[in-house]
Amino acid sequence: MLLEAFWPMILLANCPVNSKQRIAMNSTQNPAYEKIDSLWINVHLSTMTQSGPYGMIENGALAVSGQKIAWIGKRHEIPRAVESNAVEIYDGDSGWITPGLIDCHTHLVYGGSRAREFELRLQGATYEEIARQGGGIRSTVAATREADDESLFKQSALRLASLLQEGVTTVEIKSGYGLDLETELRMLRVARQLGERYPVTVVPTFLGAHALPPEYEGQSDRYIDFVCNEVMPQVAAQQLAIAVDAFCESIGFTPEQTERVFKTAKNFGLAIKLHAEQLSDLQGAALAARYGALSADHLEYASEEGVKAMADSGTVAVLLPGAFYFLRETRVPPIDLLRRYEVPIALSTDSNPGSSPTESLLLMLNMACTLFRLTPEEALAGITRNGAKALGLHNTIGTLEQGKDADFVIWNISEPAELAYRIGSNPLRHAIKKGKLIRTLDT
Ligand code: NIG
Ligand code: FE
């Protein structure tokens, strides 16, 4: 069915590239090394652990057993058992391996486009003016409600395919363009299906408090009642989301309304995230931190109190340079404060039709460096180690370490900073998801 139409974009390779077939030999020193499915040699590694810049291991090797990394280290230190038991040995041709990329904040599932709104903004209208006049998020809500399941899946799958082509192996996807019971649940189901049909982990987030739907005009408190009492219980009962998010902003919801959403989320055992301080300072970051949020996102207007509260609660700062760029914002997030208080910084596409119509996470690396002055290393940590943290998945993904998921990418680059340095190019050579080679671009 539909799925087949998309497979050519993601080449499912089940044979090794540049590899020598090896017959497993009888080696028994360490039971952990008895079953080595693949061994990558002639590679350099950006493990993104915090040991030295990029967690670099030059002239390294990486061994996979099942879905996990079985061994990682210097080429000349590979245990004999690992090498002799390896069923496949892959030559990485001096490429660099990084963890699979993590896009920790997207609105990938939606109907329609907002190109017309882009034209209006170029003629002088602001994002807020368009939203207040019933355009903006509401226009995507209308298009999403109208789209049937198949078309919603198809439009979203095309966007997902672009992310995967750049080495994304985990993606968070929010609801928030339905704003009624049926469409919110439908969006989350489509997100789940994407994860079932593509080689990617999908982390679904319920964003019912994204905007006020037209049928609740002038009744935002009643809408929050509806989100908390009617939609969230269904989302939780059907296990359709892992986290809950809200848009705390003058054109979104007040801190009081946001707090009601958080309280309900806590009662359902759902994690918390927040669109905070994108256009003004409502002290959403501190509110999110009080509720132990995984992340507070955007943060252009975050104050020192907000940053300090995030540091105390271990809340990740998710920066979204695509939205900053596309809305032609001028206020840069408080990077120096985030550094000073050691708040982990993640980066994401914020892929959405209104403020960040992009499906390129690599482009975000460059934008974060040029617009926000992150270092290339901070930027790469933002889409690996700290992206994992923003999703609460740092124990299984985000760095290359023994025992973690074998999600990684082999790049045709000569040093890790090249990933952030290039604009609009894709040096991906191979992508591996849970030990399986899912995409290969051989030159
Ligand atoms: O993250 N800020 C709210 N949500 C999105 C924009 C959604 C839209 O404009 O459609 C964001 O920027
Ligand atoms: Fe967003």
Side-chain angles (χ1 to χ4, degrees):
M1 45 162 290
L2 202 57
L3 175 65
E4 274 81 63
F6 292 103
W7 276 126
M9 308 177 88
I10 303 158
L11 209 123
L12 255 187
N14 50 16
C15 56
V17 184
N18 301 333
S19 82
K20 294 176 274 168
Q21 193 93 25
R22 281 286 184 104
I23 296 177
M25 284 163 61
N26 239 355
S27 179
T28 50
Q29 289 103 322
N30 184 336
Y33 303 148
E34 269 173 23
K35 182 183 165 291
I36 298 294
D37 296 301
S38 53
L39 172 64
W40 289 82
I41 55 166
N42 195 14
V43 288
H44 308 295
L45 304 157
S46 267
T47 66
M48 298 316 290
T49 60
Q50 280 162 295
S51 60
Y54 298 96
M56 241 186 235
I57 304 176
E58 288 181 83
N59 303 311
L62 186 155
V64 174
S65 178
Q67 301 188 352
K68 302 284 178 192
I69 296 173
W71 185 86
I72 183 163
K74 284 273 191 199
R75 167 74 176 101
H76 67 267
E77 289 169 0
I78 303 176
R80 276 206 18 224
V82 168
E83 193 149 9
S84 58
N85 285 340
V87 177
E88 310 280 3
I89 295 185
Y90 292 86
D91 184 338
D93 202 16
S94 300
W96 278 85
I97 297 191
T98 68
L101 305 189
I102 299 168
D103 197 355
C104 67
H105 176 142
T106 85
H107 308 250
L108 209 66
V109 173
Y110 60 83
S113 136
R114 304 240 290 274
R116 176 75 195 117
E117 191 180 298
F118 178 53
E119 290 179 321
L120 289 175
R121 282 201 299 106
L122 289 171
Q123 286 159 20
T126 67
Y127 183 68
E128 286 101 319
E129 280 162 8
I130 292 168
R132 287 189 206 287
Q133 283 157 22
I137 295 175
R138 274 194 189 179
S139 82
T140 302
V141 170
T144 305
R145 287 178 179 179
E146 243 166 61
D148 62 24
D149 285 5
E150 185 167 322
S151 118
L152 204 52
F153 179 87
K154 199 166 161 177
Q155 297 177 54
S156 309
L158 280 169
R159 291 187 279 268
L160 178 64
S162 300
L163 289 180
L164 301 196
Q165 283 177 11
E166 285 190 352
V168 168
T169 49
T170 301
V171 62
E172 186 254 18
I173 302 180
K174 302 176 196 295
S175 68
Y177 289 122
L179 311 183
D180 61 23
L181 177 65
E182 185 213 323
T183 319
E184 282 295 301
L185 299 184
R186 227 153 51 78
M187 287 184 73
L188 291 169
R189 281 196 203 102
V190 167
R192 181 163 70 192
Q193 264 176 359
L194 289 168
E196 286 163 358
R197 300 198 194 171
Y198 287 87
V200 63
T201 302
V202 169
V203 178
T205 297
F206 171 54
L207 177 57
H210 192 196
L212 194 63
E215 59 275 20
Y216 279 89
E217 189 65 61
Q219 309 174 72
S220 57
D221 281 324
R222 268 202 56 228
Y223 178 66
I224 293 295
D225 289 344
F226 168 71
V227 166
C228 292
N229 303 336
E230 293 180 49
V231 193
M232 215 188 306
Q234 289 293 328
V235 169
Q238 297 180 39
Q239 298 185 334
L240 285 171
I242 283 165
V244 170
D245 194 346
F247 186 25
C248 184
E249 192 57 68
S250 56
I251 55 167
F253 296 94
T254 65
E256 293 69 31
Q257 291 166 333
T258 302
E259 186 160 9
R260 286 174 55 207
V261 172
F262 286 174
K263 279 192 175 139
T264 314
K266 280 261 162 199
N267 288 340
F268 284 113
L270 294 161
I272 284 168
K273 301 174 86 64
L274 186 66
H275 284 69
E277 274 81 274
Q278 179 184 11
L279 308 166
S280 60
D281 182 11
L282 297 187
Q283 287 157 34
L287 172 65
R290 274 206 302 286
Y291 280 81
L294 285 176
S295 70
D297 305 33
H298 285 288
L299 298 175
E300 279 81 349
Y301 287 81
S303 64
E304 183 159 0
E305 291 73 22
V307 170
K308 193 171 171 322
M310 289 174 69
D312 292 343
S313 63
T315 299
V316 175
V318 178
L319 305 185
L320 304 166
F324 175 90
Y325 164 82
F326 194 68
L327 297 183
R328 305 183 72 213
E329 295 292 341
T330 50
R331 169 106 169 206
V332 173
I335 306 297
D336 287 337
L337 285 175
L338 294 171
R339 285 183 182 135
R340 192 178 328 140
Y341 287 98
E342 297 183 5
V343 174
I345 298 174
L347 281 184
S348 174
T349 58
D350 192 13
S351 180
N352 77 69
S355 69
S356 193
T358 177
E359 290 91 43
S360 173
L361 192 53
L362 291 179
L363 180 59
M364 297 306 111
L365 289 182
N366 183 276
M367 282 190 176
C369 296
T370 51
L371 300 173
F372 297 166
R373 288 280 175 239
L374 289 197
T375 66
E377 186 190 357
E378 285 172 325
L380 190 55
I383 60 170
T384 54
R385 184 177 71 241
N386 293 337
K389 213 158 189 247
L391 298 177
L393 296 177
H394 45 289
N395 290 329
T396 47
I397 56 170
T399 54
L400 300 175
E401 290 177 82
Q402 190 173 345
K404 282 202 169 178
D405 284 1
D407 286 5
F408 55 94
V409 183
I410 294 107
W411 305 97
N412 190 19
I413 52 176
S414 52
E415 57 180 305
E418 223 178 301
L419 287 177
Y421 151 76
R422 299 210 162 270
I423 305 174
S425 67
N426 181 6
L428 180 142
R429 208 185 280 152
H430 313 292
I432 285 85
K433 174 68 188 169
K434 292 200 172 170
K436 277 211 173 75
L437 189 59
I438 53 161
R439 183 157 193 277
T440 277
L441 204 87
D442 227 3
T443 48

CSV table of all heavy atoms in Angstrom, one decimal, residues 95-131:
chain,number,residue,atom,x,y,z
A,95,GLY,N,35.6,7.6,7.0
A,95,GLY,CA,34.5,8.5,7.3
A,95,GLY,C,34.4,8.7,8.8
A,95,GLY,O,35.1,8.1,9.6
A,96,TRP,N,33.6,9.7,9.2
A,96,TRP,CA,33.3,9.9,10.6
A,96,TRP,C,32.0,9.3,11.0
A,96,TRP,O,31.0,9.5,10.3
A,96,TRP,CB,33.3,11.4,10.9
A,96,TRP,CG,34.7,12.0,11.0
A,96,TRP,CD1,35.5,12.4,10.0
A,96,TRP,CD2,35.4,12.1,12.3
A,96,TRP,NE1,36.7,12.8,10.6
A,96,TRP,CE2,36.7,12.7,11.9
A,96,TRP,CE3,35.1,11.9,13.6
A,96,TRP,CZ2,37.7,13.0,12.9
A,96,TRP,CZ3,36.1,12.2,14.6
A,96,TRP,CH2,37.3,12.7,14.2
A,97,ILE,N,31.9,8.7,12.2
A,97,ILE,CA,30.7,8.2,12.7
A,97,ILE,C,30.2,9.1,13.8
A,97,ILE,O,31.0,9.5,14.7
A,97,ILE,CB,30.8,6.7,13.3
A,97,ILE,CG1,31.2,5.8,12.1
A,97,ILE,CG2,29.6,6.3,13.9
A,97,ILE,CD1,31.2,4.3,12.5
A,98,THR,N,28.9,9.5,13.8
A,98,THR,CA,28.3,10.2,14.9
A,98,THR,C,27.1,9.4,15.4
A,98,THR,O,26.6,8.5,14.7
A,98,THR,CB,27.8,11.6,14.5
A,98,THR,OG1,26.7,11.4,13.6
A,98,THR,CG2,28.8,12.4,13.8
A,99,PRO,N,26.6,9.7,16.5
A,99,PRO,CA,25.3,9.1,16.9
A,99,PRO,C,24.2,9.4,15.9
A,99,PRO,O,24.3,10.5,15.2
A,99,PRO,CB,25.0,9.8,18.3
A,99,PRO,CG,26.3,10.3,18.8
A,99,PRO,CD,27.1,10.6,17.6
A,100,GLY,N,23.2,8.6,15.7
A,100,GLY,CA,22.1,8.9,14.9
A,100,GLY,C,21.5,10.3,15.4
A,100,GLY,O,21.5,10.5,16.6
A,101,LEU,N,21.0,11.1,14.4
A,101,LEU,CA,20.6,12.4,14.8
A,101,LEU,C,19.2,12.4,15.5
A,101,LEU,O,18.4,11.5,15.1
A,101,LEU,CB,20.6,13.3,13.6
A,101,LEU,CG,21.9,13.4,12.9
A,101,LEU,CD1,21.9,14.5,11.8
A,101,LEU,CD2,23.1,13.7,13.8
A,102,ILE,N,19.0,13.3,16.4
A,102,ILE,CA,17.7,13.3,17.1
A,102,ILE,C,17.1,14.7,16.9
A,102,ILE,O,17.6,15.7,17.3
A,102,ILE,CB,18.0,13.1,18.6
A,102,ILE,CG1,18.7,11.7,18.8
A,102,ILE,CG2,16.7,13.3,19.5
A,102,ILE,CD1,19.2,11.5,20.2
A,103,ASP,N,15.9,14.7,16.3
A,103,ASP,CA,15.1,15.9,16.1
A,103,ASP,C,14.1,16.0,17.2
A,103,ASP,O,13.0,15.3,17.1
A,103,ASP,CB,14.5,16.0,14.7
A,103,ASP,CG,14.1,17.4,14.3
A,103,ASP,OD1,14.2,18.3,15.2
A,103,ASP,OD2,13.7,17.6,13.2
A,104,CYS,N,14.3,16.7,18.3
A,104,CYS,CA,13.5,16.6,19.5
A,104,CYS,C,12.3,17.5,19.6
A,104,CYS,O,11.7,17.6,20.7
A,104,CYS,CB,14.4,16.7,20.7
A,104,CYS,SG,15.1,18.4,20.9
A,105,HIS,N,12.0,18.3,18.5
A,105,HIS,CA,10.9,19.2,18.6
A,105,HIS,C,10.3,19.4,17.2
A,105,HIS,O,10.9,20.2,16.4
A,105,HIS,CB,11.3,20.5,19.2
A,105,HIS,CG,10.2,21.6,19.2
A,105,HIS,ND1,10.1,22.5,20.3
A,105,HIS,CD2,9.3,22.0,18.3
A,105,HIS,CE1,9.1,23.3,20.1
A,105,HIS,NE2,8.6,23.0,18.9
A,106,THR,N,9.3,18.7,16.8
A,106,THR,CA,8.7,18.9,15.5
A,106,THR,C,7.2,18.9,15.5
A,106,THR,O,6.6,18.3,16.4
A,106,THR,CB,9.2,17.8,14.4
A,106,THR,OG1,8.3,16.7,14.5
A,106,THR,CG2,10.6,17.4,14.5
A,107,HIS,N,6.6,19.5,14.5
A,107,HIS,CA,5.2,19.5,14.3
A,107,HIS,C,5.0,18.8,12.9
A,107,HIS,O,4.5,19.5,12.0
A,107,HIS,CB,4.6,20.9,14.3
A,107,HIS,CG,4.9,21.7,15.5
A,107,HIS,ND1,4.0,22.0,16.5
A,107,HIS,CD2,6.1,22.3,15.9
A,107,HIS,CE1,4.6,22.8,17.4
A,107,HIS,NE2,5.9,23.0,17.1
A,108,LEU,N,5.6,17.7,12.7
A,108,LEU,CA,5.7,17.1,11.4
A,108,LEU,C,4.4,16.7,10.7
A,108,LEU,O,4.2,16.6,9.5
A,108,LEU,CB,6.6,15.9,11.5
A,108,LEU,CG,7.5,15.5,10.3
A,108,LEU,CD1,8.5,16.6,10.0
A,108,LEU,CD2,8.2,14.2,10.5
A,109,VAL,N,3.4,16.4,11.6
A,109,VAL,CA,2.1,15.9,11.0
A,109,VAL,C,1.1,17.0,10.9
A,109,VAL,O,0.7,17.6,11.9
A,109,VAL,CB,1.5,14.8,12.0
A,109,VAL,CG1,0.1,14.4,11.5
A,109,VAL,CG2,2.4,13.5,12.0
A,110,TYR,N,0.8,17.4,9.7
A,110,TYR,CA,-0.2,18.5,9.5
A,110,TYR,C,-0.7,18.4,8.1
A,110,TYR,O,0.0,17.8,7.2
A,110,TYR,CB,0.4,19.8,9.9
A,110,TYR,CG,1.6,20.3,9.0
A,110,TYR,CD1,1.4,20.8,7.8
A,110,TYR,CD2,2.9,20.1,9.5
A,110,TYR,CE1,2.5,21.2,7.0
A,110,TYR,CE2,4.0,20.5,8.8
A,110,TYR,CZ,3.8,21.1,7.6
A,110,TYR,OH,4.9,21.4,6.8
A,111,GLY,N,-1.8,19.1,7.8
A,111,GLY,CA,-2.2,19.3,6.4
A,111,GLY,C,-2.0,20.6,5.9
A,111,GLY,O,-1.9,21.6,6.6
A,112,GLY,N,-1.8,20.7,4.6
A,112,GLY,CA,-1.7,22.0,3.9
A,112,GLY,C,-0.4,22.7,4.0
A,112,GLY,O,0.6,22.1,4.4
A,113,SER,N,-0.4,24.0,3.6
A,113,SER,CA,0.8,24.8,3.5
A,113,SER,C,0.5,26.2,3.9
A,113,SER,O,-0.7,26.6,3.9
A,113,SER,CB,1.4,24.7,2.1
A,113,SER,OG,1.8,26.0,1.7
A,114,ARG,N,1.5,27.0,4.3
A,114,ARG,CA,1.2,28.4,4.7
A,114,ARG,C,2.0,29.3,3.8
A,114,ARG,O,2.5,30.4,4.3
A,114,ARG,CB,1.4,28.6,6.2
A,114,ARG,CG,0.6,27.7,7.0
A,114,ARG,CD,-0.3,28.4,8.0
A,114,ARG,NE,0.3,29.1,9.0
A,114,ARG,CZ,0.7,28.6,10.2
A,114,ARG,NH1,0.5,27.3,10.5
A,114,ARG,NH2,1.3,29.3,11.1
A,115,ALA,N,2.2,29.0,2.5
A,115,ALA,CA,3.0,29.8,1.6
A,115,ALA,C,2.4,31.2,1.5
A,115,ALA,O,3.1,32.2,1.4
A,115,ALA,CB,3.2,29.1,0.3
A,116,ARG,N,1.1,31.2,1.4
A,116,ARG,CA,0.4,32.5,1.3
A,116,ARG,C,0.7,33.5,2.4
A,116,ARG,O,0.9,34.7,2.3
A,116,ARG,CB,-1.1,32.2,1.2
A,116,ARG,CG,-2.0,33.5,1.1
A,116,ARG,CD,-2.0,34.1,-0.3
A,116,ARG,NE,-2.5,35.5,-0.2
A,116,ARG,CZ,-1.9,36.6,-0.5
A,116,ARG,NH1,-0.6,36.6,-0.9
A,116,ARG,NH2,-2.5,37.8,-0.4
A,117,GLU,N,0.8,32.9,3.6
A,117,GLU,CA,1.1,33.7,4.8
A,117,GLU,C,2.5,34.2,4.8
A,117,GLU,O,2.8,35.3,5.2
A,117,GLU,CB,0.9,32.7,6.0
A,117,GLU,CG,1.0,33.3,7.4
A,117,GLU,CD,0.8,32.3,8.4
A,117,GLU,OE1,-0.2,31.6,8.5
A,117,GLU,OE2,1.7,32.1,9.2
A,118,PHE,N,3.4,33.4,4.2
A,118,PHE,CA,4.8,33.8,4.0
A,118,PHE,C,4.8,35.1,3.1
A,118,PHE,O,5.4,36.1,3.4
A,118,PHE,CB,5.5,32.7,3.3
A,118,PHE,CG,7.0,33.0,3.0
A,118,PHE,CD1,7.8,33.4,4.0
A,118,PHE,CD2,7.5,32.8,1.7
A,118,PHE,CE1,9.2,33.7,3.7
A,118,PHE,CE2,8.8,33.0,1.4
A,118,PHE,CZ,9.7,33.5,2.4
A,119,GLU,N,3.9,35.1,2.1
A,119,GLU,CA,3.9,36.3,1.2
A,119,GLU,C,3.3,37.5,2.0
A,119,GLU,O,3.9,38.6,1.8
A,119,GLU,CB,2.9,36.0,0.0
A,119,GLU,CG,3.6,35.0,-1.0
A,119,GLU,CD,2.7,34.6,-2.2
A,119,GLU,OE1,1.4,34.5,-2.0
A,119,GLU,OE2,3.2,34.5,-3.3
A,120,LEU,N,2.3,37.2,2.8
A,120,LEU,CA,1.8,38.3,3.6
A,120,LEU,C,2.8,38.9,4.5
A,120,LEU,O,2.9,40.1,4.7
A,120,LEU,CB,0.5,37.9,4.4
A,120,LEU,CG,-0.7,37.5,3.6
A,120,LEU,CD1,-1.8,36.9,4.6
A,120,LEU,CD2,-1.2,38.8,2.9
A,121,ARG,N,3.6,38.0,5.1
A,121,ARG,CA,4.6,38.5,6.1
A,121,ARG,C,5.6,39.4,5.3
A,121,ARG,O,6.1,40.4,5.8
A,121,ARG,CB,5.2,37.4,6.8
A,121,ARG,CG,4.3,36.9,8.0
A,121,ARG,CD,5.1,36.1,9.1
A,121,ARG,NE,5.7,34.9,8.6
A,121,ARG,CZ,7.0,34.8,8.4
A,121,ARG,NH1,7.8,35.8,8.7
A,121,ARG,NH2,7.5,33.7,8.0
A,122,LEU,N,5.9,38.9,4.1
A,122,LEU,CA,6.9,39.7,3.3
A,122,LEU,C,6.4,41.1,2.9
A,122,LEU,O,7.1,42.0,2.6
A,122,LEU,CB,7.4,38.9,2.1
A,122,LEU,CG,8.2,37.7,2.4
A,122,LEU,CD1,8.5,36.8,1.2
A,122,LEU,CD2,9.6,38.2,3.0
A,123,GLN,N,5.0,41.2,2.9
A,123,GLN,CA,4.4,42.5,2.6
A,123,GLN,C,4.3,43.3,3.9
A,123,GLN,O,3.7,44.4,3.9
A,123,GLN,CB,3.0,42.3,2.0
A,123,GLN,CG,3.1,41.8,0.5
A,123,GLN,CD,1.9,41.2,0.0
A,123,GLN,OE1,0.8,41.4,0.6
A,123,GLN,NE2,2.0,40.4,-1.0
A,124,GLY,N,4.7,42.8,5.0
A,124,GLY,CA,4.7,43.6,6.2
A,124,GLY,C,3.9,43.1,7.4
A,124,GLY,O,4.1,43.6,8.5
A,125,ALA,N,3.0,42.1,7.2
A,125,ALA,CA,2.2,41.6,8.3
A,125,ALA,C,3.1,40.8,9.2
A,125,ALA,O,4.1,40.2,8.8
A,125,ALA,CB,1.1,40.7,7.8
A,126,THR,N,2.8,40.9,10.6
A,126,THR,CA,3.7,40.1,11.5
A,126,THR,C,3.0,38.7,11.8
A,126,THR,O,1.8,38.5,11.5
A,126,THR,CB,3.9,40.8,12.8
A,126,THR,OG1,2.6,40.9,13.5
A,126,THR,CG2,4.4,42.2,12.6
A,127,TYR,N,3.8,37.8,12.3
A,127,TYR,CA,3.3,36.5,12.7
A,127,TYR,C,2.1,36.6,13.7
A,127,TYR,O,1.1,36.0,13.5
A,127,TYR,CB,4.5,35.7,13.3
A,127,TYR,CG,4.2,34.3,13.7
A,127,TYR,CD1,4.0,33.3,12.8
A,127,TYR,CD2,4.2,33.9,15.1
A,127,TYR,CE1,3.8,32.0,13.1
A,127,TYR,CE2,4.0,32.6,15.5
A,127,TYR,CZ,3.8,31.6,14.5
A,127,TYR,OH,3.6,30.3,14.9
A,128,GLU,N,2.3,37.5,14.7
A,128,GLU,CA,1.2,37.7,15.6
A,128,GLU,C,0.0,38.3,15.0
A,128,GLU,O,-1.1,37.8,15.3
A,128,GLU,CB,1.7,38.7,16.8
A,128,GLU,CG,2.6,38.1,17.8
A,128,GLU,CD,4.0,38.5,17.4
A,128,GLU,OE1,4.4,38.5,16.3
A,128,GLU,OE2,4.8,38.8,18.4
A,129,GLU,N,0.1,39.3,14.1
A,129,GLU,CA,-1.1,39.9,13.4
A,129,GLU,C,-1.8,38.8,12.7
A,129,GLU,O,-3.1,38.7,12.7
A,129,GLU,CB,-0.6,41.0,12.5
A,129,GLU,CG,-0.3,42.3,13.2
A,129,GLU,CD,0.5,43.3,12.3
A,129,GLU,OE1,0.7,43.0,11.1
A,129,GLU,OE2,1.0,44.3,12.8
A,130,ILE,N,-1.1,38.0,11.9
A,130,ILE,CA,-1.8,37.0,11.1
A,130,ILE,C,-2.5,36.0,12.0
A,130,ILE,O,-3.7,35.6,11.8
A,130,ILE,CB,-0.8,36.2,10.2
A,130,ILE,CG1,-0.2,37.2,9.2
A,130,ILE,CG2,-1.4,35.0,9.6
A,130,ILE,CD1,1.0,36.7,8.4
A,131,ALA,N,-1.9,35.7,13.2
A,131,ALA,CA,-2.5,34.7,14.1
A,131,ALA,C,-3.8,35.4,14.7
A,131,ALA,O,-4.8,34.7,14.8
A,131,ALA,CB,-1.5,34.4,15.2
